[in-house]
Amino acid sequence: QVPVVESGGGSVEAGGSLTLSCVVSGYAAANSHCLGWFRQAPGKEREGVAGICTDTTVYYADSVKGRFTASQDNAKGTLYLQMDSLKPEDTAEYFCAASTDVRVWYGPLRASNYNYWGQGTQVTVSS
């Protein structure tokens, strides 16, 4: 069983919306301190977009604050990323991740603090 599986990517025009979903299961679901969304554009480093930790705090990158909303449905073991007012610069491969590493509390948007990763889903925003 794959512990982290994303879905929901696609193509949209600037100003549009998309919702990504991520199902977290198994050991990752039961033991994660934080769940996060990351993205990586061609030629760029992977960057944190949003993170939800077990204290219910939600963290956002400055570039997406006010436009993206991360949420989770614990009963379904699912993490969501609602993306509104999308811009061409949001174009990237988006990844869902889970962290059972306590270091994530010191950097919930740092990719190196996450140890379970999904396969990624492409989001393309055209101008």
Side-chain angles (χ1 to χ4, degrees):
Q1 187 178 22
V2 179
V4 180
V5 180
E6 313 97 334
S7 61
S11 297
V12 65
E13 292 185 351
S17 298
L18 280 174
T19 301
L20 305 182
S21 300
C22 172
V23 177
V24 183
S25 59
Y27 182 86
N31 295 280
S32 290
H33 301 292
C34 298
L35 303 176
W37 287 102
F38 294 80
R39 65 187 182 186
Q40 188 167 18
K44 294 188 177 181
E45 292 188 356
R46 190 168 297 188
E47 64 171 343
V49 174
I52 300 180
C53 297
T54 52
D55 65 351
T56 73
T57 302
V58 185
Y59 304 87
Y60 293 101
D62 288 342
S63 58
V64 306
K65 281 181 182 177
R67 300 189 298 120
F68 290 11
T69 304
S71 61
Q72 64 181 127
D73 184 333
N74 290 324
K76 295 182 178 179
T78 303
L79 180 70
Y80 302 97
L81 185 67
Q82 174 66 39
M83 304 184 292
D84 299 316
S85 302
L86 282 161
K87 304 175 181 180
E89 51 263 45
D90 295 319
T91 295
E93 187 85 1
Y94 281 71
F95 298 88
C96 178
S99 177
T100 61
D101 189 337
V102 296
R103 289 176 295 179
V104 74
W105 289 107
Y106 303 99
L109 296 183
R110 190 175 302 153
S112 60
N113 289 336
Y114 285 77
N115 49 347
Y116 291 89
W117 289 88
Q119 79 286 356
T121 185
Q122 178 67 35
V123 172
T124 302
V125 184
S126 58
S127 58

